[in-house]
């Protein structure tokens, strides 16, 4: 587990990577550091297939078991801070699996950055049934043009989910990239990070 410490931390967030790259990918490092700069100590980790040098993700039970181990470690490491879990794409999806299956004691919420509602081009292969079983707050940050789940598809979920908030990055893809050049891309990324920061801090203040 790699930790990006905030100087005056109000919470801790364990952020899991997506299917295609591990915790040291440029996107993950940038996101974790940006959150730490805003007062949220952020920890990242690699799933077993990344550690082993494989490209194909492990099956869900293996990923889930590893996530549970990471949560246990995080509870001890960040015992003095409210704890949140989540991730980019697949990492966030597996976080929702364990949140739906278990009583996640000591976890205050789930942060989902580009939730993979379905594989691109296969909208019939939904990954949402378990979301209704989650009892802790969830934040979905989703690009409106995300091929894994666009704005319309994500908004259709809202009436069925408890304690869930959806923030849409207008024009964003699966990694929140937008048209308009580097400044526009950076603004969209900052929008995502500020949204996560504000949501986490609001829940901490409500405790």
């Amino acid at each position: 587990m790699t930790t990006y410490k905030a100087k005056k931390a109000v919470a801790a967030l364990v952020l899991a990577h997506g299917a295609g790259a591990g915790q040291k990918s440029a996107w993950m490092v940038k996101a974790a550091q940006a959150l730490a700069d805003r007062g949220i100590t952020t920890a990242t980790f690699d799933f077993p297939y990344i550690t082993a040098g494989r490209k194909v993700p492990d099956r869900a039970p293996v990923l889930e078991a590893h996530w549970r181990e990471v949560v246990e470690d995080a509870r001890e490491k960040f015992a003095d801070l409210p704890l949140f879990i989540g991730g980019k794409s697949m990492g966030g999806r597996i976080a929702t699996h364990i949140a739906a299956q278990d009583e996640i004691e000591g976890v205050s919420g789930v942060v989902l950055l580009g939730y993979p509602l379905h594989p691109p081009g296969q909208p019939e292969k939904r990954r949402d049934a378990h979301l209704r079983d989650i009892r802790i707050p969830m934040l979905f940050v989703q690009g409106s043009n995300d091929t894994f789940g666009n704005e319309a598809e994500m908004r259709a979920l809202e009436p069925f989910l408890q304690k869930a908030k959806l923030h849409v990055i207008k024009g964003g893809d699966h990694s929140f990239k937008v048209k308009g050049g580097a400044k526009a891309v950076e603004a969209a990324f900052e929008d995502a990070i500020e949204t996560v920061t504000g949501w986490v801090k609001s829940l901490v203040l409500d405790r």
Side-chain angles (χ1 to χ4, degrees), residues 27-128:
W27 197 98
M28 286 292 295
V29 171
K30 183 178 180 180
Q33 188 60 62
L35 290 165
D37 290 344
R38 290 162 174 77
I40 300 173
T41 288
T42 304
T44 63
F45 66 93
D46 284 329
F47 285 110
Y49 74 96
I50 293 290
T51 303
R54 301 193 305 272
K55 292 184 178 180
V56 178
D58 300 298
R59 289 186 173 275
V62 175
L63 301 174
E64 292 163 8
H66 191 71
W67 236 127
R68 291 188 184 95
E69 291 176 4
V70 171
V71 171
E72 288 299 322
D73 290 344
R75 281 200 191 101
E76 295 183 12
K77 188 169 186 178
F78 308 117
D80 58 334
L81 292 170
L83 179 63
F84 293 78
I85 64 173
K88 185 180 190 299
S89 193
M90 182 199 75
R93 178 169 67 92
I94 301 303
T96 65
H97 285 197
I98 64 170
Q101 294 166 5
D102 306 330
E103 290 294 331
I104 306 295
E105 183 180 349
V107 175
S108 298
V110 186
V111 174
L112 303 160
L113 304 174
Y115 185 78
L117 182 62
H118 56 71
Q122 298 177 289
E124 73 283 358
K125 294 186 177 181
R126 306 277 290 195
R127 299 160 172 161
D128 61 332

Side-chain angles (χ1 to χ4, degrees), residues 135-153:
R135 300 291 178 258
I136 58 177
M138 292 183 285
L139 171 66
F140 294 85
V141 181
Q142 199 84 1
S144 63
N145 296 335
D146 191 336
T147 57
F148 288 79
N150 61 34
E151 179 177 0
E153 291 171 319

